[in-house]
Amino acid sequence: MFKFIKKLKDEINKKVDLKIEEYANKNMFELNRITNRPLEGEIVKLENIKISKRFVKPNSTKLISRDVYYYTHNYFRSQIVLTKDNYLTDGYTTYLLAKEKGFEFITIVRDE
């Protein structure tokens, strides 16, 4: 039973990845512009990320520093870490900058 569920999940993930790539190609976007580090994790819609009230807006110096890093390297300094329920546990500044830059999708890692 579990092997069937895992196989089904893998098939769904492949289909989602293909749809994201089709969307990117259709709209003349580069996939690496839509996501951060597209080969290093799971891709989720930015709007599906849930933010708990414990996160407060970081100071402007930190945001500027992270923005400069993105501008220099063309990817974010840190990754977004989510729980299985899509609650943010780490990477709040990356989330804020991606949202500010108009990202629709972002690469994340799951908190174990």
Side-chain angles (χ1 to χ4, degrees):
M1 180 71 161
F2 291 115
K3 288 182 182 181
F4 172 75
I5 292 172
K6 184 179 180 338
K7 183 178 178 183
L8 185 60
K9 181 181 173 188
D10 290 343
E11 288 175 15
I12 291 171
N13 284 339
K14 286 178 187 175
K15 287 180 181 180
V16 168
D17 290 344
L18 285 173
K19 288 292 182 185
I20 291 170
E21 190 171 357
E22 286 174 16
Y23 176 84
N25 290 332
K26 179 180 172 186
N27 292 292
M28 303 294 203
F29 293 117
E30 295 177 28
L31 187 57
N32 65 355
R33 174 65 181 97
I34 294 173
T35 62
N36 180 41
R37 306 173 190 215
L39 302 177
E40 295 182 19
E42 181 182 341
I43 298 172
V44 298
K45 266 190 136 174
L46 203 62
E47 66 185 31
N48 292 339
I49 296 175
K50 301 170 189 169
I51 309 296
S52 66
K53 293 180 181 179
R54 72 180 179 94
F55 286 101
V56 295
K57 188 169 183 173
N59 67 46
S60 59
T61 306
K62 184 175 183 179
L63 277 174
I64 291 169
S65 167
R66 298 289 170 96
D67 197 26
V68 167
Y69 186 92
Y70 177 81
Y71 180 75
T72 305
H73 300 282
N74 203 27
Y75 61 89
F76 294 109
R77 182 175 168 191
S78 61
Q79 287 193 321
I80 292 175
V81 180
L82 301 180
T83 64
K84 65 181 179 180
D85 298 325
N86 282 349
Y87 278 96
L88 184 80
T89 59
D90 195 20
Y92 187 54
T93 55
T94 300
Y95 167 81
L96 292 175
L97 288 172
K99 196 170 180 181
E100 178 184 295
K101 293 181 181 307
F103 279 55
E104 285 189 63
F105 298 93
I106 191 82
T107 306
I108 60 100
V109 292
R110 292 287 175 184
D111 192 7
E112 302 265 336

